[in-house]
Amino acid sequence: MDSIFTVDICGVKADLPVLPLPSGVHIAFFNLHGNQTLTEHCGKEIAKRIAPCKPDIIITAESKGLQLAHVTARELGQAFYAVARKTKKLYMQDGIEVAVQSITTGEVQKLYLSAHDAALLKNKRVAIVDDVISTGGSLSGLESLVQEAGGQIVVKATVLAEGAAADRKDIEYLAKIPLL
């Protein structure tokens, strides 16, 4: 790791390692795992941004969105949040699934939502919360899960918008980063 990209996320600087993807594109890799201070900061900032939309529930995709969704839901006073998983667990046999392709994996994968989490979304105002949006593949998968579960998406929020995603008018984000 020879290169670092520094981003300012609402007053907190984060040094992101620049990593190559199989496609040859380089990204500034953002990882909240294990970083309590940054996770708390980002979750609280996202909660402030999406609170006016009055979401009833949050959905995120594992794994890097988990702790972010936890903080955001707590800040909004929500007891639960829904999690789209990347592998089908034993308790998810009666859930729903969609295929997605994200920039970081480079291949098609599936997102699974348990029947329990699908029920949390039914007839609810839903906020989609994630760590980074780039091509929008994961976001599209989350949108499909919410629609299939019968929820109404009221806001989509992410910590970082990467590349052209920063030009999208349908998402809230805290900072932008380039594709390198």
Side-chain angles (χ1 to χ4, degrees):
M1 173 173 58
D2 297 330
S3 184
I4 298 290
F5 180 85
T6 301
V7 63
D8 184 315
I9 305 171
C10 300
V12 173
K13 293 199 183 321
D15 291 331
L16 311 179
V18 176
L19 302 175
L21 295 177
S23 66
V25 171
H26 287 70
I27 61 167
F29 183 69
F30 181 64
N31 184 7
L32 287 173
H33 286 315
N35 191 333
Q36 290 178 267
T37 303
L38 189 57
T39 298
E40 285 288 326
H41 173 73
C42 293
K44 289 176 180 179
E45 290 295 324
I46 285 180
K48 283 192 258 183
R49 298 260 179 118
I50 69 173
C53 298
K54 299 185 182 347
D56 300 313
I57 186 104
I58 290 169
I59 186 172
T60 194
E62 72 173 358
S63 74
K64 292 188 299 172
L66 290 173
Q67 60 268 31
L68 181 65
H70 175 91
V71 172
T72 305
R74 183 194 66 218
E75 292 299 307
L76 294 173
Q78 298 172 357
F80 292 93
Y81 55 92
V83 179
R85 304 215 179 259
K86 294 180 181 174
T87 56
K88 192 174 199 174
K89 308 296 183 192
L90 182 62
Y91 65 89
M92 303 177 88
Q93 301 309 311
D94 56 352
I96 55 179
E97 64 186 65
V98 296
V100 299
Q101 185 166 2
S102 76
I103 191 171
T104 50
T105 60
E107 55 190 51
V108 175
Q109 61 183 16
K110 289 192 176 184
L111 289 178
Y112 302 91
L113 194 63
S114 70
H116 172 268
D117 283 9
L120 291 173
L121 303 176
K122 188 174 175 97
N123 299 319
K124 295 292 191 319
R125 297 171 55 81
V126 180
I128 296 175
V129 172
D130 209 352
D131 61 333
V132 179
I133 181 174
S134 186
T135 60
S138 297
L139 178 63
S140 177
L142 289 169
E143 290 172 309
S144 294
L145 287 173
V146 171
Q147 290 166 355
E148 192 169 336
Q152 174 197 3
I153 299 166
V154 294
V155 65
K156 298 171 267 190
T158 185
V159 177
L160 299 175
E162 185 174 54
D167 298 329
R168 290 180 60 153
K169 304 295 184 217
D170 65 327
I171 62 166
E172 293 286 331
Y173 62 88
L174 303 181
K176 59 184 177 179
I177 56 174
L179 282 171
L180 304 165

